[in-house]
Amino acid sequence: MTPTQIILDCDPGHDDAIALLLALASPELDLLGVTTVSGNQTLEKTTANALRVLEFVGREDVPVAAGADRPLVRERFVASYVHGETGLDGPALPPPTGSPVEAHAVSFLAETLLAAPRPVTLIPTGPLTNVSLLLSLHPDAAARIDHIVLMGGAIAEGNVTPAAEFNIWADPEAAQRVFSSGLDVTMIGLDVTHQALLTPAHAERLRRAGRVGTLVGELFDFYHRFHHETYGFPGSPVHDAVAVAHVARPGLVETSDRAVVVDRGGELSRGRTYVDLWRRTDWPVNAHVGTGIDADAFLELLLERISSFDA
Ligand code: RIB
Ligand code: CA
Protein backbone atom coordinates (compact mmCIF):
# COMPACT_ATOMS: atom_id res chain seq x y z
CA MET A 1 0.00 0.00 0.00
CA THR A 2 1.43 3.40 -0.98
CA PRO A 3 1.44 5.62 2.11
CA THR A 4 -0.47 8.89 2.01
CA GLN A 5 1.89 11.86 1.89
CA ILE A 6 0.98 14.32 4.62
CA ILE A 7 2.15 17.62 6.09
CA LEU A 8 1.15 18.50 9.65
CA ASP A 9 0.54 22.22 10.29
CA CYS A 10 0.33 22.51 14.06
CA ASP A 11 0.69 24.46 17.31
CA PRO A 12 2.11 21.94 19.84
CA GLY A 13 0.32 21.81 22.27
CA HIS A 14 -0.26 18.50 24.03
CA ASP A 15 -2.72 17.03 21.57
CA ASP A 16 -0.69 18.26 18.60
CA ALA A 17 2.32 16.44 20.05
CA ILE A 18 0.32 13.23 20.38
CA ALA A 19 -1.00 13.71 16.83
CA LEU A 20 2.59 14.09 15.59
CA LEU A 21 3.63 10.87 17.34
CA LEU A 22 0.62 9.06 15.86
CA ALA A 23 1.57 10.28 12.37
CA LEU A 24 5.17 9.11 12.83
CA ALA A 25 4.02 5.68 14.02
CA SER A 26 1.50 5.09 11.23
CA PRO A 27 2.80 3.19 8.18
CA GLU A 28 -0.20 4.43 6.22
CA LEU A 29 1.28 7.93 6.39
CA ASP A 30 4.46 9.50 5.01
CA LEU A 31 5.14 12.70 6.96
CA LEU A 32 6.87 15.11 4.55
CA GLY A 33 7.26 17.87 7.11
CA VAL A 34 5.87 19.82 10.03
CA THR A 35 4.92 23.49 9.89
CA THR A 36 4.20 25.49 13.01
CA VAL A 37 1.93 28.39 13.82
CA SER A 38 1.15 30.61 16.81
CA GLY A 39 -1.83 29.19 18.70
CA ASN A 40 -1.61 27.16 21.87
CA GLN A 41 1.58 29.05 22.58
CA THR A 42 3.79 31.57 20.78
CA LEU A 43 5.38 30.56 17.49
CA GLU A 44 8.79 30.28 19.16
CA LYS A 45 7.41 27.78 21.67
CA THR A 46 5.25 25.75 19.26
CA THR A 47 8.24 25.45 16.93
CA ALA A 48 10.57 24.39 19.76
CA ASN A 49 7.96 21.86 20.88
CA ALA A 50 7.68 20.30 17.43
CA LEU A 51 11.46 19.91 17.39
CA ARG A 52 11.50 18.51 20.94
CA VAL A 53 8.98 15.80 20.10
CA LEU A 54 10.72 14.79 16.86
CA GLU A 55 14.08 14.63 18.65
CA PHE A 56 12.60 12.57 21.47
CA VAL A 57 11.77 9.80 19.02
CA GLY A 58 14.89 10.23 16.88
CA ARG A 59 13.12 11.75 13.88
CA GLU A 60 15.30 14.77 13.35
CA ASP A 61 15.07 13.89 9.65
CA VAL A 62 11.57 15.41 9.50
CA PRO A 63 11.91 19.10 8.58
CA VAL A 64 10.18 21.73 10.71
CA ALA A 65 9.34 25.14 9.27
CA ALA A 66 8.10 28.01 11.43
CA GLY A 67 5.17 30.04 10.14
CA ALA A 68 2.90 32.84 11.22
CA ASP A 69 3.59 34.33 14.64
CA ARG A 70 0.12 35.87 14.88
CA PRO A 71 -3.32 35.66 13.21
CA LEU A 72 -4.07 37.54 9.98
CA VAL A 73 -6.13 40.25 11.66
CA ARG A 74 -6.92 39.34 15.29
CA GLU A 75 -4.65 39.82 18.28
CA ARG A 76 -2.52 36.83 19.27
CA PHE A 77 -4.02 34.84 22.17
CA VAL A 78 -2.15 31.80 23.54
CA ALA A 79 -3.82 29.00 25.50
CA SER A 80 -1.35 28.81 28.42
CA TYR A 81 -4.30 27.90 30.66
CA VAL A 82 -4.52 24.58 28.81
CA HIS A 83 -0.96 23.79 27.68
CA GLY A 84 1.16 25.71 30.21
CA GLU A 85 3.92 28.28 29.79
CA THR A 86 6.06 26.03 27.54
CA GLY A 87 3.08 24.78 25.55
CA LEU A 88 4.07 21.25 26.55
CA ASP A 89 4.09 21.47 30.34
CA GLY A 90 4.26 18.21 32.27
CA PRO A 91 7.06 15.99 30.94
CA ALA A 92 10.70 17.01 31.37
CA LEU A 93 11.38 17.17 27.64
CA PRO A 94 14.85 18.63 26.99
CA PRO A 95 15.07 21.82 24.92
CA PRO A 96 15.60 21.17 21.22
CA THR A 97 19.13 20.77 19.88
CA GLY A 98 18.06 21.30 16.27
CA SER A 99 16.52 24.27 14.48
CA PRO A 100 13.72 24.81 12.02
CA VAL A 101 14.61 25.15 8.33
CA GLU A 102 15.36 28.65 7.06
CA ALA A 103 12.26 28.82 4.87
CA HIS A 104 9.05 30.28 6.26
CA ALA A 105 6.35 27.64 6.71
CA VAL A 106 4.32 29.05 3.82
CA SER A 107 7.30 28.82 1.46
CA PHE A 108 8.09 25.35 2.81
CA LEU A 109 4.51 24.25 2.20
CA ALA A 110 4.62 25.58 -1.38
CA GLU A 111 8.00 24.03 -2.18
CA THR A 112 7.03 20.67 -0.66
CA LEU A 113 3.65 20.55 -2.39
CA LEU A 114 5.15 21.38 -5.79
CA ALA A 115 7.95 18.83 -5.38
CA ALA A 116 5.78 16.00 -4.04
CA PRO A 117 5.48 13.08 -6.48
CA ARG A 118 1.88 12.52 -5.45
CA PRO A 119 -0.87 14.85 -4.18
CA VAL A 120 -0.54 15.64 -0.48
CA THR A 121 -3.01 15.60 2.41
CA LEU A 122 -2.57 18.66 4.62
CA ILE A 123 -3.54 18.18 8.27
CA PRO A 124 -3.88 21.54 10.05
CA THR A 125 -4.32 21.17 13.81
CA GLY A 126 -3.90 24.78 14.87
CA PRO A 127 -5.16 28.17 13.70
CA LEU A 128 -5.33 28.25 9.89
CA THR A 129 -3.11 31.29 9.37
CA ASN A 130 -0.36 29.45 7.45
CA VAL A 131 -2.85 27.62 5.25
CA SER A 132 -4.72 30.80 4.34
CA LEU A 133 -1.45 32.53 3.44
CA LEU A 134 -0.49 29.55 1.25
CA LEU A 135 -3.80 29.83 -0.61
CA SER A 136 -3.22 33.53 -1.27
CA LEU A 137 0.52 33.52 -2.01
CA HIS A 138 0.92 30.16 -3.79
CA PRO A 139 -2.33 29.11 -5.50
CA ASP A 140 -0.38 26.83 -7.84
CA ALA A 141 1.01 24.88 -4.90
CA ALA A 142 -2.34 24.88 -3.12
CA ALA A 143 -3.82 23.18 -6.15
CA ARG A 144 -1.56 20.20 -5.38
CA ILE A 145 -3.38 19.60 -2.07
CA ASP A 146 -5.45 16.43 -2.34
CA HIS A 147 -7.32 16.88 0.95
CA ILE A 148 -7.29 19.26 3.89
CA VAL A 149 -8.28 17.38 7.05
CA LEU A 150 -8.41 20.03 9.75
CA MET A 151 -9.09 19.85 13.45
CA GLY A 152 -11.34 22.78 14.20
CA GLY A 153 -14.83 24.12 14.55
CA ALA A 154 -17.96 22.45 15.82
CA ILE A 155 -21.56 21.88 14.83
CA ALA A 156 -22.91 22.60 18.27
CA GLU A 157 -20.04 23.06 20.73
CA GLY A 158 -17.64 25.75 21.82
CA ASN A 159 -14.54 25.57 23.99
CA VAL A 160 -12.84 28.97 23.91
CA THR A 161 -16.23 30.74 23.97
CA PRO A 162 -19.78 29.34 24.10
CA ALA A 163 -19.87 29.86 20.32
CA ALA A 164 -16.48 28.84 19.04
CA GLU A 165 -13.69 26.26 18.97
CA PHE A 166 -10.17 27.61 19.60
CA ASN A 167 -8.44 27.01 16.23
CA ILE A 168 -11.22 28.73 14.29
CA TRP A 169 -11.75 31.46 16.91
CA ALA A 170 -8.04 32.32 16.96
CA ASP A 171 -8.02 33.24 13.26
CA PRO A 172 -11.57 33.29 11.84
CA GLU A 173 -10.58 35.19 8.70
CA ALA A 174 -7.99 32.53 7.86
CA ALA A 175 -10.53 29.79 8.55
CA GLN A 176 -13.13 31.31 6.23
CA ARG A 177 -10.48 31.55 3.50
CA VAL A 178 -9.84 27.81 3.86
CA PHE A 179 -13.50 26.78 3.93
CA SER A 180 -14.23 28.91 0.83
CA SER A 181 -11.13 27.71 -1.06
CA GLY A 182 -12.93 25.09 -3.12
CA LEU A 183 -10.43 22.48 -1.91
CA ASP A 184 -11.57 19.15 -0.46
CA VAL A 185 -11.93 20.06 3.23
CA THR A 186 -12.80 17.75 6.12
CA MET A 187 -13.73 19.39 9.43
CA ILE A 188 -12.96 17.33 12.52
CA GLY A 189 -14.76 19.35 15.16
CA LEU A 190 -15.49 19.21 18.86
CA ASP A 191 -18.71 17.23 18.32
CA VAL A 192 -16.46 14.34 17.26
CA THR A 193 -13.38 14.86 19.43
CA HIS A 194 -15.42 15.16 22.62
CA GLN A 195 -16.77 11.64 21.97
CA ALA A 196 -13.32 9.99 22.15
CA LEU A 197 -11.69 10.70 25.49
CA LEU A 198 -8.28 9.43 26.57
CA THR A 199 -8.65 8.31 30.18
CA PRO A 200 -6.29 7.72 33.13
CA ALA A 201 -6.62 3.98 32.45
CA HIS A 202 -5.38 4.52 28.90
CA ALA A 203 -2.50 6.60 30.29
CA GLU A 204 -1.54 3.76 32.63
CA ARG A 205 -1.46 1.32 29.68
CA LEU A 206 0.74 3.77 27.81
CA ARG A 207 3.16 4.16 30.71
CA ARG A 208 3.58 0.40 30.78
CA ALA A 209 4.40 0.41 27.07
CA GLY A 210 7.75 2.14 27.51
CA ARG A 211 9.56 5.45 27.04
CA VAL A 212 7.30 7.09 24.43
CA GLY A 213 4.18 5.74 26.09
CA THR A 214 5.44 7.27 29.33
CA LEU A 215 5.92 10.62 27.58
CA VAL A 216 2.31 10.55 26.36
CA GLY A 217 1.18 9.53 29.85
CA GLU A 218 2.97 12.55 31.29
CA LEU A 219 1.50 14.83 28.63
CA PHE A 220 -1.93 13.43 29.52
CA ASP A 221 -1.45 14.00 33.26
CA PHE A 222 -0.88 17.73 32.74
CA TYR A 223 -3.45 18.14 29.93
CA HIS A 224 -6.19 16.19 31.78
CA ARG A 225 -5.97 18.51 34.76
CA PHE A 226 -7.63 21.29 32.67
CA HIS A 227 -10.30 19.07 31.08
CA HIS A 228 -11.30 17.41 34.33
CA GLU A 229 -11.56 20.74 36.17
CA THR A 230 -13.36 22.50 33.31
CA TYR A 231 -15.63 19.83 31.90
CA GLY A 232 -15.71 17.19 34.60
CA PHE A 233 -14.92 14.72 31.80
CA PRO A 234 -13.60 11.27 32.83
CA GLY A 235 -10.90 11.72 30.19
CA SER A 236 -9.47 14.29 27.79
CA PRO A 237 -10.15 14.82 24.09
CA VAL A 238 -7.01 14.32 21.99
CA HIS A 239 -8.49 16.60 19.34
CA ASP A 240 -5.62 16.72 16.87
CA ALA A 241 -4.89 12.99 16.92
CA VAL A 242 -8.43 12.38 15.63
CA ALA A 243 -7.61 14.33 12.46
CA VAL A 244 -4.47 12.26 11.89
CA ALA A 245 -6.33 8.99 12.66
CA HIS A 246 -9.02 9.91 10.12
CA VAL A 247 -6.35 10.07 7.40
CA ALA A 248 -4.55 6.91 8.55
CA ARG A 249 -7.71 4.89 8.90
CA PRO A 250 -10.65 6.31 6.92
CA GLY A 251 -13.93 5.17 8.36
CA LEU A 252 -13.15 5.87 12.00
CA VAL A 253 -14.92 9.21 11.69
CA GLU A 254 -18.34 9.52 10.10
CA THR A 255 -18.83 12.67 8.02
CA SER A 256 -21.67 14.46 6.24
CA ASP A 257 -21.18 16.84 3.31
CA ARG A 258 -22.46 20.18 4.48
CA ALA A 259 -22.03 23.93 4.02
CA VAL A 260 -19.85 25.65 6.61
CA VAL A 261 -19.51 29.41 7.06
CA VAL A 262 -17.21 31.00 9.65
CA ASP A 263 -18.40 33.97 11.69
CA ARG A 264 -15.87 36.79 11.42
CA GLY A 265 -17.84 39.14 13.59
CA GLY A 266 -17.55 40.53 17.08
CA GLU A 267 -16.59 38.84 20.30
CA LEU A 268 -19.88 37.04 20.98
CA SER A 269 -20.07 35.04 17.74
CA ARG A 270 -16.46 35.29 16.55
CA GLY A 271 -15.16 31.97 15.16
CA ARG A 272 -18.52 30.21 15.15
CA THR A 273 -18.64 27.56 12.41
CA TYR A 274 -22.19 27.73 11.12
CA VAL A 275 -22.75 24.19 9.82
CA ASP A 276 -25.92 23.98 7.73
CA LEU A 277 -26.73 20.50 9.05
CA TRP A 278 -30.35 20.51 7.84
CA ARG A 279 -29.69 22.29 4.53
CA ARG A 280 -31.73 25.35 5.44
CA THR A 281 -29.71 27.68 3.20
CA ASP A 282 -28.38 27.85 -0.34
CA TRP A 283 -24.82 28.07 0.93
CA PRO A 284 -22.40 25.98 -1.16
CA VAL A 285 -21.58 22.57 0.36
CA ASN A 286 -17.85 22.97 1.09
CA ALA A 287 -16.83 20.42 3.73
CA HIS A 288 -17.06 16.85 4.92
CA VAL A 289 -18.18 17.58 8.50
CA GLY A 290 -17.38 15.07 11.23
CA THR A 291 -20.58 13.87 12.89
CA GLY A 292 -19.55 10.69 14.69
CA ILE A 293 -16.57 8.52 15.66
CA ASP A 294 -15.86 4.89 16.57
CA ALA A 295 -14.24 6.03 19.81
CA ASP A 296 -13.05 2.61 20.94
CA ALA A 297 -11.41 1.91 17.60
CA PHE A 298 -9.73 5.33 17.57
CA LEU A 299 -8.38 4.93 21.11
CA GLU A 300 -7.13 1.40 20.46
CA LEU A 301 -5.38 2.60 17.29
CA LEU A 302 -3.79 5.47 19.22
CA LEU A 303 -2.54 3.22 22.02
CA GLU A 304 -1.30 0.56 19.60
CA ARG A 305 0.64 3.07 17.51
CA ILE A 306 2.13 5.01 20.45
CA SER A 307 3.15 1.71 22.06
CA SER A 308 4.83 0.63 18.82
CA PHE A 309 7.68 3.11 19.38
CA ASP A 310 8.90 0.95 22.25
CA ALA A 311 8.12 -2.41 20.69
O1 RIB B 1 -9.92 23.35 20.29
C1 RIB B 1 -8.94 22.36 20.27
C2 RIB B 1 -7.81 22.75 19.39
O2 RIB B 1 -7.21 23.95 19.87
C3 RIB B 1 -6.67 21.72 19.36
O3 RIB B 1 -6.03 21.77 18.13
C4 RIB B 1 -5.76 22.19 20.45
O4 RIB B 1 -4.41 21.79 20.24
C5 RIB B 1 -5.87 23.69 20.27
O5 RIB B 1 -5.00 24.07 19.24
CA1 CA C 1 -3.62 22.17 18.06
Side-chain angles (χ1 to χ4, degrees), residues 11 13-16 40 83 125-127 151 159 165-167 190 223 239-240:
D11 61 337
H14 290 67
D15 55 329
D16 302 76
N40 285 323
H83 302 275
T125 62
M151 192 282 138
N159 60 2
E165 177 280 324
F166 177 80
N167 288 337
L190 298 178
Y223 182 63
H239 306 282
D240 300 332

